[in-house]
Amino acid sequence: MGHNLPMAQNFLASGGNMGMLIASHNWSNHPLGPIERWPVSLTTSLGLCLYSQFPMAIFWGEDLITLYNDATHNILGERHQSALGRPANEVWSSIWEVIHPALLHVYKSGEGTLSLNSLLPVRRHGFTEEAYFDYAFNPIFDSDGTVLGVISVANETTKRVLAERRSRILRKLSQKSIIAESAEAACILVANTLSEDPADIPFALIYLQNYGQDNLRLAATTSLDSEAGIAVKTVSAQHDTGPLPIAAALRTHKPQVVYSLEHDFELPGGPWEESARDAVVIPLTEARSGETYGVIVIGTSPRLVYDHEYNEYCKQIAELTAVSIGSAMDVRRKLNLEAREHEAQEQLQTALDSGSIGIWSWDIQSDQVIADRQLAKLFGLSAQKARDGVPMREFTSLIHTKDRERVIARMQKSVTEVAPYEDEYRIMPSDGITRWVLARGRVEADADGRPARFPLVIVDITERKAIEIDLAHSERMFSALFESNIIGVAVAETTGNILEANHTFLRMFGYTNRDLRSGMDLHDLLPKNRRVKHGYHFKDIALKRELEPREQEYVRKDGSILPTLVGAAMIPSDNNRFICFMLDISRQKELLVLNKAKDEFISIASHQLRTPATGVKQYLGMLLEGYAGDLSQQQRTIIQTAFDSNERQITVVNDLLRVAQADAGEIKLHLEPINLNELLEDVIAEQAQKFTAKKQTVILRTPTKPVVAEFDPLLIRMVFENLIDNAHKYMGSNRAVTIRVNQTKTLTRVRIKDEGIGVRKKDIPKLFKKFSRIESPLSMRTSGTGLGLYWVLKIVELHNGAITVESNYRKGTEFILTFKNTHDQKQGKRTS
Amino acid sequence: MKRLLIVEDEEILRTAYEMIFIQEGYDVQCASNGQEALQIVPTFKPHVIVLDILMPVMNGIQFLECAKLSKHMPQTRVLVLSNLSDKETIEHVYALGATEHVIKSNLSPGQLVKKVQQLLSGKH
């Protein structure tokens, strides 16, 4: 630095870059004037300021002219270039509201101020950054004690503030992990905790793996409403179709940062007015088990640099979330076990309470049976009599005739051989209800070895027997299924090894019994690219005991793809084997593809047909409307006929397109409350001309109060247009159509009754079929595509409504539309 | 003279609209897709744009997104003339600043001219 400074400015020489800058600045036209004339109190304070390693600044005079040292650059950020010598309200405009009162206070009172961890946003790194400072303002006095300026010293505490804020959240997360009862609940708890730190986490999405499927479901979010575009409910684990690198994070097991999301989505910015721009996607991997449960998407703050500390924070959130989910799943498993033990105990208790176990003792010598109360009850004898003793035959007489002889013989045999006895038989107590019992006992001998007593325990096994019978029945049913040609059935181990398979299963895959005997594995039946992932299937079955039916592609022995509907269930009280059911759905799939191709064809064809027809309409229209000069009456008639014919073509094409859309399930309802009275008046007014032309009348009967229900306004309008137009077409002159509207608490009904040609009863079902035209002399003359009523039916059904027809041939037809009143129709998707 | 820009990829329709509006006394320019239209708009400064949706290279929706008419030319009226009639498309073009949406095959030349006049007089 080759500046030669005058003596008075020596204090600037060692004042770093700012010292040099102040020295070389042109102060001659500045309110402070040339440096030589600056008051001593200013130069002294400035010297102090420039030497300091802390950010220090001086605010001088009434305008609070700003002078500052090198360390202040970091606070000024990008404003540093133009800040020197400018009034403080310009230099510190963004934080003026915060510091101005403090500066005023210092000026007025001559007292210093101190602020700790104060939020002072700084424009640096190309954006407004969230930054915190400790700062003090102290007065600079002249010799008589007047405040001439303020000297400030500051210390940035951003890192400390962020660290404290983040560690509070992490602490909370690790505490909360103990209480979740399910993975979903754990995610919601995590999301709630993360909501407490919107400055670091403007938004977060937590996705859980759907085990056995290649996708993840959205389990929880913070501060995003469910309609937010970024909150996709289900995402693929294989390929990233959206901007979020979820599959990439799962594949690499590493956090993935994604930038500039604000172009695609509306995102919250936490407490700031800017939207979040970037996000990081981190796999939820539990360190203890190595298990990856899903991913967390964390939106990063638009006011912070995503630095090492920020990244560590997000990674720790992901880790703690994974721990939370992992322990929730443990808790769940435990709860399940406890529930099962509890159930078994309860069953035993119920058996004892119900008195289904009874005891007797048969004194063989005296042929007297003494029985307890339960046993008496079981046989329908009085408790008193049983206690006093009755002859054996009183009991045997109550045994079912089909079993009696056998029972007596077996008991005799036990007595003769002094052997243990066990039998199951039916008894017919006096109440008439046959019961099954299990009897078990042992003959006791007297001192001489002769049979003396025969104590017996009798258990009521009626229910068990009923279950056994049911079971035998379902076994027969199952064998029928197993042997059938319909459904593929296999028994496999959770490892994938197939133990048994029916011939349908083998035939579906093109394997033989020999292949089965030499060993088959379910894994080998999967397409190659799905094999690893599919390991989850079997894990999932063991955990959840069953696998709900779903579509799954497998590979036949010859390598061709086999689309199936597959479901599985663990074999009861077996933790290793499950039974798996498979339906070959290749035919249905083919049909689906064909249908889709057909719908697409219609849609494309319709568009291609509509454009030329629109062209014809424009050119003929130009002629008719005089754009090419006047026409003779004859020319006009000819062109009008061509124009009308073209209009019909456009109608047909529009109908085709709409029906194709409806068949493809592409129609979505946009429900809103509609006043049917007004709507019908409107439709009738629109069609009035053609009714008048044919001397027909339209009568609308509506209740005096408005009939309001939820409909899609455009679609329901088409329904009425169509039905009213039909009435017009199929009625002769001087006839009337009557439209009645009524509404009860639960139903809204519109009846459209015409005096038209009517429909034969046998033809009514055909009315709503696609392309069906019912033969009648009149219908040949009317213009229609046979799609109108099909379309009407589709729309009514989409509204959860029903349409019925009553008709008298040659007298007239009545269409009755009935809709359930609901203000939240579930089928339709509400958008407004 | 009111300036009108027609953006339509089908030549037969483009020519028809051009003939109609020239006869009606408009200063007419044509573009066959959104990209061409983007180049014409800043210098031609149309009062009205008659805009198709389905077009190659750049469709009508992309054009509206790029042109940001409500920002750069708030006075310009946009009549979207398309055979796409699903509610999503209609709501989308309105959100992007279209003044009105009509089904192409529904309008005869006279009705089209009337629509444009209504748009210009603010009665729409």
Side-chain angles (χ1 to χ4, degrees):
Chain A
M1 304 239 175
H3 288 273
N4 271 329
L5 297 166
M7 281 303 282
Q9 297 166 24
N10 269 352
F11 72 97
L12 296 172
S14 327
N17 290 336
M18 278 314 293
M20 299 308 291
L21 208 63
I22 293 171
S24 59
H25 193 81
N26 181 5
W27 296 99
S28 50
N29 292 324
H30 192 274
L32 281 183
I35 297 176
E36 317 73 88
R37 281 194 239 139
W38 288 3
V40 180
S41 44
L42 173 57
T43 50
T44 317
S45 314
L46 186 57
L48 188 70
C49 164
L50 291 173
Y51 279 99
S52 170
Q53 298 301 313
F54 276 104
M56 283 183 81
I58 288 170
F59 304 94
W60 192 260
E62 268 179 33
D63 291 338
L64 299 164
I65 300 293
T66 306
L67 300 166
Y68 51 92
N69 66 357
D70 287 354
T72 310
H73 292 184
N74 208 26
I75 307 178
L76 278 168
E78 288 158 10
R79 285 166 306 177
H80 153 60
Q81 298 301 333
S82 57
L84 182 63
R86 306 298 309 159
N89 62 343
E90 285 178 23
V91 178
W92 308 97
S93 56
S94 60
I95 56 171
W96 188 238
E97 277 177 25
V98 185
I99 64 170
H100 187 220
L103 285 169
L104 275 184
H105 177 80
V106 177
Y107 260 91
K108 278 190 186 151
S109 64
E111 291 166 4
T113 65
L114 175 66
S115 304
L116 296 176
N117 296 326
S118 184
L119 172 64
L120 300 177
V122 175
R123 176 101 198 147
R124 63 187 174 198
H125 301 117
F127 60 93
T128 305
E129 198 173 329
E130 182 188 3
Y132 296 87
F133 295 91
D134 291 344
Y135 61 91
F137 288 148
N138 286 306
I140 304 171
F141 299 107
D142 75 354
S143 51
D144 63 3
T146 319
V147 179
L148 295 175
V150 176
I151 184 161
S152 83
V153 56
N155 181 32
E156 180 161 3
T157 57
T158 310
K159 277 191 191 286
R160 194 172 71 211
V161 172
L162 295 187
E164 279 173 12
R165 177 166 89 195
R166 289 166 181 172
S167 67
R168 199 181 64 242
I169 295 296
L170 293 174
R171 236 182 358 258
K172 268 199 162 175
L173 282 179
S174 52
Q175 286 160 359
K176 284 207 172 167
S177 65
I178 310 159
I179 42 181
E181 286 184 3
S182 70
E184 247 86 7
C187 294
I188 290 167
L189 283 172
V190 168
N192 287 345
T193 307
L194 297 185
S195 302
E196 293 171 23
D197 182 15
D200 281 310
I201 303 160
F203 68 89
L205 309 161
I206 306 175
Y207 283 96
L208 286 173
Q209 298 246 27
N210 283 327
Y211 288 111
Q213 292 175 34
D214 266 351
N215 56 28
L216 300 94
R217 64 186 183 280
L218 182 59
T221 69
T222 64
S223 70
L224 283 171
D225 65 65
S226 56
E227 300 293 309
I230 197 167
V232 178
K233 299 275 179 290
T234 309
V235 294
S236 165
Q238 284 285 320
H239 310 286
D240 287 319
T241 49
L244 293 176
I246 287 169
L250 287 173
R251 196 171 52 244
T252 58
H253 303 290
K254 288 210 169 66
Q256 303 285 325
V257 181
V258 53
Y259 300 100
S260 304
L261 287 169
E262 80 276 17
H263 297 307
D264 295 321
F265 304 109
E266 217 165 271
L267 297 172
W272 318 120
E273 58 198 21
E274 306 95 298
S275 296
R277 288 181 286 268
D278 310 333
V280 57
V281 184
I282 311 176
L284 297 172
T285 305
E286 190 184 18
R288 177 175 62 101
S289 60
E291 186 98 14
T292 298
Y293 298 112
V295 299
I296 184 165
V297 180
I298 299 177
T300 58
S301 167
R303 291 208 170 183
L304 287 173
V305 177
Y306 192 69
D307 56 9
H308 176 70
E309 285 87 357
Y310 205 163
N311 185 35
E312 283 302 306
Y313 177 46
C314 293
K315 273 162 62 184
Q316 283 176 30
I317 289 173
E319 264 173 49
L320 288 171
T321 307
V323 169
S324 243
I325 297 167
S327 48
M329 286 169 113
D330 283 347
V331 169
R332 200 167 181 75
R333 279 192 282 269
K334 216 170 136 205
L335 280 177
N336 273 344
L337 275 181
E338 279 173 6
R340 250 177 263 152
E341 278 167 21
H342 188 66
E343 212 173 307
Q345 262 178 12
E346 271 191 347
Q347 279 170 358
L348 181 62
Q349 195 60 47
T350 316
L352 290 172
D353 290 349
S354 71
S356 54
I357 299 174
I359 303 166
W360 84 23
S361 181
W362 176 26
D363 189 315
I364 298 167
Q365 303 303 321
S366 64
D367 189 31
Q368 286 286 305
V369 179
I370 301 168
D372 72 357
R373 194 145 44 110
Q374 276 84 0
L375 195 122
K377 197 176 161 202
L378 214 55
F379 278 78
L381 294 170
S382 88
Q384 175 78 39
K385 217 173 158 186
R387 198 171 58 232
D388 294 346
V390 289
M392 184 57 168
R393 63 173 183 282
E394 283 217 20
F395 281 99
T396 49
S397 69
L398 293 169
I399 294 172
H400 197 285
T401 44
K402 282 195 176 160
D403 296 336
R404 193 183 299 149
E405 215 170 296
R406 186 197 77 231
V407 173
I408 293 171
R410 283 208 191 162
M411 285 174 79
Q412 285 297 346
K413 190 166 177 257
S414 283
V415 170
T416 324
E417 294 173 3
V418 197
Y421 163 81
E422 183 175 318
D423 203 356
E424 279 179 19
Y425 52 86
R426 284 162 286 182
I427 53 175
M428 297 191 306
S430 40
D431 63 13
I433 301 164
T434 307
R435 305 198 71 78
W436 275 94
V437 295
L438 165 69
R440 197 179 277 173
R442 176 185 285 277
V443 175
E444 290 174 358
D446 61 13
D448 305 328
R450 282 177 308 182
R453 274 187 316 282
F454 197 164
L456 208 66
V457 177
I458 290 186
V459 186
D460 183 348
I461 56 165
T462 314
E463 280 174 32
R464 203 194 78 197
K465 269 287 175 189
I467 292 169
E468 273 178 20
I469 290 164
D470 275 357
L471 213 61
H473 183 64
S474 43
E475 255 177 35
R476 275 199 303 278
M477 306 258 276
F478 179 73
S479 335
L481 205 60
F482 196 84
E483 252 107 71
S484 81
N485 288 319
I486 306 159
I487 188 163
V489 182
V491 177
E493 293 175 318
T494 46
T495 55
N497 182 35
I498 302 174
L499 302 169
E500 255 180 273
N502 70 350
H503 70 269
T504 309
F505 185 94
L506 294 172
R507 199 191 38 172
M508 267 162 64
F509 283 95
Y511 287 94
T512 60
N513 267 315
R514 182 183 295 181
D515 293 322
L516 180 64
R517 278 194 299 276
S518 58
M520 276 175 69
D521 194 300
L522 276 175
H523 287 103
D524 299 334
L525 303 179
L526 283 163
K528 278 212 174 71
N529 57 354
R530 316 240 332 168
R531 282 185 196 167
V532 180
K533 276 276 158 198
H534 202 68
Y536 280 122
H537 265 211
F538 313 133
K539 225 171 165 180
D540 211 28
I541 298 166
L543 207 66
K544 295 204 304 196
R545 307 290 306 172
E546 64 178 34
L547 192 72
E548 280 177 25
R550 70 162 71 115
E551 287 186 11
Q552 169 79 53
E553 280 186 350
Y554 288 92
V555 178
R556 295 193 187 89
K557 194 180 183 183
D558 64 10
S560 58
I561 293 289
L562 171 69
T564 68
L565 187 73
V566 58
M570 289 300 287
I571 290 170
S573 63
D574 188 330
N575 283 326
N576 292 317
R577 290 180 305 159
F578 63 90
I579 184 156
C580 143
F581 309 86
M582 250 180 230
L583 278 172
D584 180 347
I585 55 168
S586 38
R587 286 257 312 275
Q588 287 82 343
K589 281 273 159 189
E590 273 167 29
L591 279 177
L592 220 64
V593 170
L594 273 178
N595 238 331
K596 198 158 182 244
K598 186 202 73 185
D599 290 338
E600 274 173 9
F601 168 77
I602 293 181
S603 165
I604 291 166
S606 302
H607 185 74
Q608 297 297 338
L609 289 171
R610 201 144 56 159
T611 301
T614 311
V616 170
K617 176 177 177 137
Q618 295 305 325
Y619 285 88
L620 293 179
M622 278 159 75
L623 283 175
L624 284 174
E625 286 167 358
Y627 284 91
D630 290 339
L631 301 176
S632 73
Q633 191 53 47
Q634 193 186 8
Q635 285 168 333
R636 174 169 296 278
T637 312
I638 291 169
I639 292 168
Q640 185 68 50
T641 313
F643 186 86
D644 291 346
S645 168
N646 186 58
E647 286 292 280
R648 270 208 302 285
Q649 166 148 338
I650 290 175
T651 311
V652 171
V653 172
N654 284 346
D655 281 357
L656 271 175
L657 185 61
R658 270 205 299 270
V659 166
Q661 277 174 338
D663 285 349
E666 278 171 14
I667 305 246
K668 278 190 194 128
L669 295 188
H670 301 265
L671 296 178
E672 53 188 72
I674 300 287
N675 183 344
L676 279 182
N677 301 358
E678 284 175 9
L679 175 73
L680 285 164
E681 279 167 21
D682 209 30
V683 173
I684 292 166
E686 237 174 39
Q687 303 200 6
Q689 216 180 352
K690 61 186 175 198
F691 278 92
T692 319
K694 242 170 129 182
K695 294 202 179 92
Q696 295 167 332
T697 330
V698 186
I699 302 160
L700 176 63
R701 294 198 195 286
T702 55
T704 39
K705 61 171 188 180
V707 174
V708 179
E710 294 219 315
F711 293 108
D712 182 302
L714 292 178
L715 296 176
I716 200 70
R717 191 186 180 89
M718 284 187 196
V719 166
F720 293 124
E721 280 173 354
N722 214 305
L723 291 173
I724 295 172
D725 181 57
N726 269 353
H728 159 74
K729 275 194 238 164
Y730 295 104
M731 283 197 309
S733 294
N734 299 313
R735 308 279 170 161
V737 54
T738 309
I739 303 163
R740 288 190 186 83
V741 184
N742 67 51
Q743 192 169 40
T744 64
K745 260 191 180 156
T746 50
L747 297 175
T748 303
R749 187 167 280 149
V750 180
R751 311 169 78 106
I752 301 175
K753 185 173 188 177
D754 65 39
E755 297 169 358
I757 54 171
V759 186
R760 284 192 187 91
K761 215 171 193 129
K762 68 175 172 68
D763 287 335
I764 288 182
K766 286 194 213 159
L767 279 176
F768 295 100
K769 293 239 165 71
K770 241 193 284 191
F771 301 111
S772 74
R773 299 278 305 273
I774 290 155
E775 271 180 52
S776 95
L778 196 54
S779 76
M780 301 304 282
R781 278 191 280 120
T782 57
S783 56
T785 52
L787 290 170
L789 284 178
Y790 178 75
W791 171 249
V792 164
L793 178 67
K794 281 264 165 185
I795 298 305
V796 171
E797 282 177 349
L798 273 173
H799 282 89
N800 284 336
I803 183 161
T804 52
V805 182
E806 284 166 17
S807 190
N808 277 329
Y809 186 55
R810 292 187 188 280
K811 290 207 174 134
T813 309
E814 181 169 26
F815 287 89
I816 302 152
L817 282 70
T818 311
F819 301 95
K820 274 185 198 154
N821 293 342
T822 155
H823 287 282
D824 53 320
Q825 267 140 312
K826 285 169 190 92
Q827 289 267 314
K829 194 180 150 192
R830 183 196 293 264
T831 56
S832 51
Chain B
M1 199 187 254
K2 294 288 185 190
R3 290 181 297 278
L4 182 135
L5 172 62
I6 294 160
V7 193
E8 167 67 63
D9 62 320
E10 289 292 338
E11 196 188 345
I12 184 170
L13 291 179
R14 197 167 61 235
T15 314
Y17 298 152
E18 191 182 9
M19 284 163 69
I20 293 164
F21 283 105
I22 286 175
Q23 280 211 33
E24 290 289 339
Y26 287 81
D27 180 3
V28 182
Q29 289 216 17
C30 293
S32 61
N33 60 52
Q35 206 170 59
E36 284 181 27
L38 273 184
Q39 285 160 6
I40 296 172
V41 166
T43 49
F44 184 54
K45 295 191 174 43
H47 295 99
V48 184
I49 301 174
V50 173
L51 180 68
D52 187 21
I53 296 289
L54 288 180
M55 291 181 291
V57 186
M58 179 190 274
N59 67 31
I61 286 178
Q62 290 164 333
F63 165 76
L64 287 173
E65 280 168 352
C66 291
K68 294 194 173 66
L69 291 168
S70 52
K71 191 173 161 194
H72 300 304
M73 263 181 268
Q75 297 304 317
T76 301
R77 309 272 177 233
V78 181
L79 177 63
V80 173
L81 203 56
S82 164
N83 279 332
L84 286 184
S85 56
D86 58 296
K87 190 140 181 170
E88 276 87 1
T89 308
I90 297 176
E91 277 173 0
H92 196 177
V93 296
Y94 281 134
L96 288 171
T99 327
E100 186 146 7
H101 174 281
V102 265
I103 309 289
K104 202 190 275 185
S105 53
N106 283 358
L107 287 190
S108 74
Q111 288 165 325
L112 176 60
V113 169
K114 212 161 154 194
K115 271 275 172 237
V116 168
Q117 283 165 351
Q118 281 171 354
L119 244 55
L120 282 169
S121 62
K123 291 180 211 150
H124 49 83

